[in-house]
C-alpha cells in the first residue's frame, strides 16, 4: 500500500451498514445478524467484514456460514490476478493502465481479496484500440456486447471481452467523448508504474484516479455499492492534498458535478469523510456549479 497512513476503514462503515439492514438493538439477534452479513455481501464488503475484529458472536456465526463465499472470493481474486498477468503478456508492446479494482486491490488494501471485484478494467491508447482488441481475440478472448448494438461501434468508449472466464473491459475513453473534456495525453504522461504480483503495467496518478472514481460513480447515478465509497475514502487518503488536486482535475475535465456528487455521497455514507479539506472542496465546487447554472448530473 502506498498510502501515507496505515490502512484504516471508515470508522462509520459498519454503523452505516447497520442502518441499511435493521433498527434492532445491538448486538443483533441471529436473524438480524444474517441480514447484516447478507447486506455486507450485497454491498461488496463481505471480505472486509471477515477481517473485522471484535464483531458480535451472532455476526461471527453468520460469517462462519459464509466461509465458502469468502474462499470463492479468494479463488476468484487469484484468477483475476492471473488474467492481469496474462494481459500484460498479450499486450506487452502496448501501453496499458489498470483502472479501478484492478489497481485498488493491489495498493489500497492489505490483501487483494479484500477488494471484491467482478471484472478487470484497463485503459489503452485510443489509436491502438483496434489493434489491442484484435490481439486479445487472437489469444482466445471472446468479445461480449452487454450494452447492445451501441457497444459494437468503433467509437464506443469501451469493449468487453471474456478471457479465461474473467470479464475484461478495455477502455479507450472513460466515457463517451462529447460528455467531457478529459485530457488523455495528460493522463498517459502522469501514469505511475504498477509492478506487483508479477504484473508489469501502469495505473492512474493519484489525483486522476480519484477524479475518475468520482466520474465512474456518477455514470452509475451514484447507485453504487458501499465498496465504491470505501475506495473513494481510501483514495482521498493516499497523500496530503490529493483531494484538492483531484478537484482541480475534475474542473479541467469539466466533470464538476461528478466530483461534487461523489463528495456528497461519500460524506453521507461516512460522516467523518467530511474533513476541513473535503468540506472546502465541496463548498467551492458547489459554488462553481451554481455559477455555471448547469443542471447536468455528470
Amino acid at each position: 500500500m502506498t498510502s501515507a497512513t496505515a490502512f484504516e476503514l471508515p470508522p462509520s462503515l459498519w454503523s452505516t451498514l447497520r442502518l441499511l439492514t435493521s433498527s434492532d438493538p445491538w448486538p443483533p439477534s441471529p436473524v438480524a445478524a444474517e441480514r447484516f452479513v447478507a447486506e455486507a455481501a450485497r454491498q461488496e464488503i463481505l471480505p472486509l467484514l471477515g477481517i473485522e475484529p471484535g464483531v458480535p458472536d451472532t455476526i461471527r456465526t453468520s460469517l462462519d456460514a459464509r466461509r465458502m463465499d469468502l474462499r470463492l472470493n479468494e479463488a476468484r481474486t487469484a484468477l483475476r490476478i492471473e488474467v492481469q498477468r496474462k494481459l500484460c503478456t498479450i499486450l506487452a508492446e502496448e501501453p496499458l493502465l489498470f483502472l479501478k479494482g484492478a489497481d485498488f486491490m493491489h495498493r489500497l488494501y492489505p490483501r487483494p481479496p479484500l477488494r471484491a471485484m467482478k471484472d478487470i478494467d484497463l485503459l489503452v491508447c485510443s489509436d491502438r484500440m483496434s489493434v489491442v482488441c484484435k490481439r486479445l481475440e487472437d489469444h482466445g478472448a471472446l468479445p461480449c456486447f452487454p450494452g447492445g448494438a451501441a457497444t459494437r461501434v468503433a467509437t464506443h468508449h469501451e469493449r468487453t471481452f471474456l478471457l479465461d472466464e474473467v470479464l475484461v473491459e478495455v477502455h479507450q475513453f472513460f466515457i463517451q467523448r462529447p460528455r467531457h473534456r478529459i485530457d488523455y495525453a495528460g493522463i498517459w504522461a502522469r501514469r505511475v508504474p504498477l509492478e506487483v504480483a508479477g504484473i508489469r503495467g501502469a495505473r492512474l496518478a493519484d489525483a486522476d484516479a480519484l477524479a475518475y472514481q468520482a466520474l465512474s460513480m456518477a455514470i452509475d447515478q451514484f447507485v453504487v455499492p458501499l465498496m465504491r465509497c470505501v475506495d473513494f475514502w481510501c483514495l482521498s487518503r493516499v497523500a496530503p492534498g490529493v483531494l484538492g488536486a483531484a478537484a482541480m482535475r475534475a474542473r479541467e475535465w469539466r466533470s464538476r458535478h461528478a466530483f461534487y456528487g461523489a463528495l456528497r455521497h461519500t460524506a453521507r455514507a461516512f460522516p467523518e469523510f467530511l474533513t476541513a479539506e473535503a468540506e472546502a472542496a465541496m463548498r467551492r465546487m458547489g459554488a462553481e456549479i451554481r455559477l455555471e447554472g448547469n443542471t447536468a448530473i455528470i
Side-chain angles (χ1 to χ4, degrees), residues 91 94-97 99 122-130 132-133 136 169-173 184 188:
L91 304 175
E94 301 290 338
L96 73 160
L97 283 164
L99 305 173
L122 64 149
L123 179 71
V124 302
C125 297
S126 60
D127 60 352
R128 302 293 296 173
M129 183 69 161
S130 60
V132 166
C133 291
L136 287 172
E169 295 190 347
V170 182
H171 300 250
Q172 57 179 333
F173 311 117
Y184 289 98
W188 284 104

Side-chain angles (χ1 to χ4, degrees), residues 63 90 167 173:
L63 276 171
I90 294 172
L167 281 177
F173 311 117

Side-chain angles (χ1 to χ4, degrees), residues 39-55:
E39 186 64 19
R42 195 176 76 82
Q43 298 292 339
E44 301 178 9
I45 54 176
L46 183 64
L48 294 174
L49 181 60
I51 65 166
E52 184 67 18
V55 298

Side-chain angles (χ1 to χ4, degrees), residues 241 243-252 256-257 259-261 263-264 274-293:
L243 202 57
M248 181 64 69
R249 193 74 70 238
R251 293 185 185 96
E252 294 168 1
R256 286 185 178 91
H257 290 83
F259 200 78
Y260 178 76
L263 290 170
R264 284 181 59 86
L274 202 57
T275 61
E277 182 185 16
E279 189 171 10
M282 191 158 58
R283 186 168 53 248
R284 180 176 176 184
M285 195 152 283
E288 291 171 358
I289 290 171
R290 288 190 294 274
L291 284 174
E292 282 180 351

